Amino acid sequence: MKRLYLIPLPSIIIGSFAMYMNGVSTVIWIQNVFASIIAVLFSEFVLRKSKMIGSIYSIPLVILLLLFTFSHPGLEGVHRWISIGPIRFYVASIVLPLLMIGLWEISKKSNWKTPMIITMGVALLLAFQPDASQATAFIISMAIILFNKISKRAHRLSVLGLFSFIIILSWQYLDHLPPVPYVEEIVKMVANMGVGWFVLGIISLGILPLPFFFPPQHARLPSIGLGVYFIIVLISTLFGNFPVPIMGYGISPIIGYFVAIAWLINNKTNS
């Protein structure tokens, strides 16, 4: 199962090499390499050995972190980050996989209304950051998890309407930050190295969600939800200036991905 930790490595390597070939400072692209090593070690020796992943007690902390982004100086009205010294953390990309797992745990122990209300509240926070990519991915993934618990058609339609409204709202308030070549346009950098590199780059991104579609039966819903989440985050980069996760510069998506993979490995091992 530990081989699943290798899944994001092609994207990280290709992205880092593209940055190097395009003259991006070593200080920038080396962070992705170090982040992947640290994330693997942290996932293996901390997350998998504890009950941190999926704990319902982590949900208040996750929500506080998302709220805390609004207390930090934004960039042209965009509030997605928390800065610790010189490092900025893209909070949603780290905590949303954790939150989805935690909300699934709640849905198993109570009715669907509590996780649905939390989902709507968090989605609105994401929409007002603004972050249409994360809001859309989170809502659709949670709909997959929650709709399994909602039996009445009228309730499903109501929830679908509310979720759709938030998604539409989030896309009405896109930010106007210019794209950073080695973040939002990293795929173009890879394409500039040749067709072969472009094809390898697309394949490396395409395999990122795959492990989550081969889940243990007892954790099927959250695993598929996580797979859909990563697919939508990737696809949304085609429709706006959103960071390309794993391949582009940014340690936060790497941490979030490895957290999800650690959870999947733990569940496969214990199934």
Side-chain angles (χ1 to χ4, degrees):
M1 293 302 169
K2 292 182 181 181
R3 64 182 179 275
L4 292 178
Y5 286 131
L6 300 176
I7 295 290
L9 295 187
S11 284
I12 293 170
I13 292 169
I14 291 171
S16 299
F17 185 64
M19 290 183 229
Y20 169 77
M21 292 298 293
N22 283 271
V24 177
S25 170
T26 303
V27 174
I28 297 294
W29 61 261
I30 203 67
Q31 290 183 44
N32 281 18
V33 177
F34 282 137
S36 63
I37 296 171
I38 293 170
V40 169
L41 295 175
F42 184 69
S43 298
E44 180 64 19
F45 296 109
V46 179
L47 296 178
R48 287 192 59 215
K49 308 301 182 184
S50 71
K51 297 182 179 179
M52 289 175 62
I53 303 181
S55 169
I56 61 175
Y57 302 108
S58 66
I59 292 176
L61 175 61
V62 167
I63 295 173
L64 282 174
L65 287 172
L66 289 169
L67 282 169
F68 199 46
T69 61
F70 291 95
S71 69
H72 278 239
L75 293 175
E76 298 184 21
V78 180
H79 299 271
R80 300 176 189 162
W81 306 275
I82 290 177
S83 298
I84 300 178
I87 302 176
R88 285 194 310 174
F89 291 95
Y90 181 12
V91 177
S93 65
I94 297 175
V95 303
L96 289 187
L98 276 173
L99 182 59
M100 284 188 281
I101 297 165
L103 291 175
W104 169 67
E105 290 286 351
I106 289 179
S107 73
K108 291 194 302 180
K109 300 172 182 178
S110 65
N111 60 40
W112 55 270
K113 293 180 182 178
T114 300
M116 187 274 288
I117 292 171
I118 296 173
T119 297
M120 286 187 58
V122 169
L124 284 171
L125 285 178
L126 295 169
F128 289 122
Q129 281 188 337
D131 195 337
S133 173
Q134 293 289 340
T136 303
F138 176 64
I139 288 174
I140 293 176
S141 301
M142 283 306 303
I144 291 172
I145 295 172
L146 292 177
F147 275 25
N148 186 66
K149 297 282 292 185
I150 305 174
S151 56
K152 292 184 178 180
R153 185 170 180 269
H155 289 164
R156 284 193 173 198
L157 290 175
S158 298
V159 172
L160 180 62
L162 290 169
F163 281 3
S164 299
F165 170 76
I166 297 174
I167 290 175
I168 293 170
L169 178 69
S170 70
W171 285 92
Q172 294 298 311
Y173 294 97
L174 296 177
D175 69 82
H176 299 288
L177 294 175
V180 179
Y182 51 83
V183 180
E184 291 89 356
E185 297 183 341
I186 186 65
V187 176
K188 290 183 181 179
M189 274 192 171
V190 173
N192 289 338
M193 297 193 301
V195 175
W197 282 107
F198 176 69
V199 171
L200 288 175
I202 295 299
I203 292 173
S204 73
L205 290 173
I207 65 175
L208 292 175
L210 286 183
F212 301 97
F213 293 98
F214 299 93
Q217 191 58 36
H218 72 278
R220 180 174 174 274
L221 275 179
S223 185
I224 291 175
L226 285 167
V228 170
Y229 165 79
F230 288 116
I231 286 174
I232 295 174
V233 168
L234 287 166
I235 291 176
S236 65
T237 62
L238 301 174
F239 302 98
N241 294 329
F242 302 112
V244 178
I246 313 299
M247 181 179 287
Y249 166 70
I251 64 175
S252 300
I254 294 173
I255 295 171
Y257 185 83
F258 275 107
V259 165
I261 281 291
W263 171 84
L264 182 63
I265 292 173
N266 194 45
N267 277 272
K268 279 179 172 287
T269 302
N270 295 330
S271 61

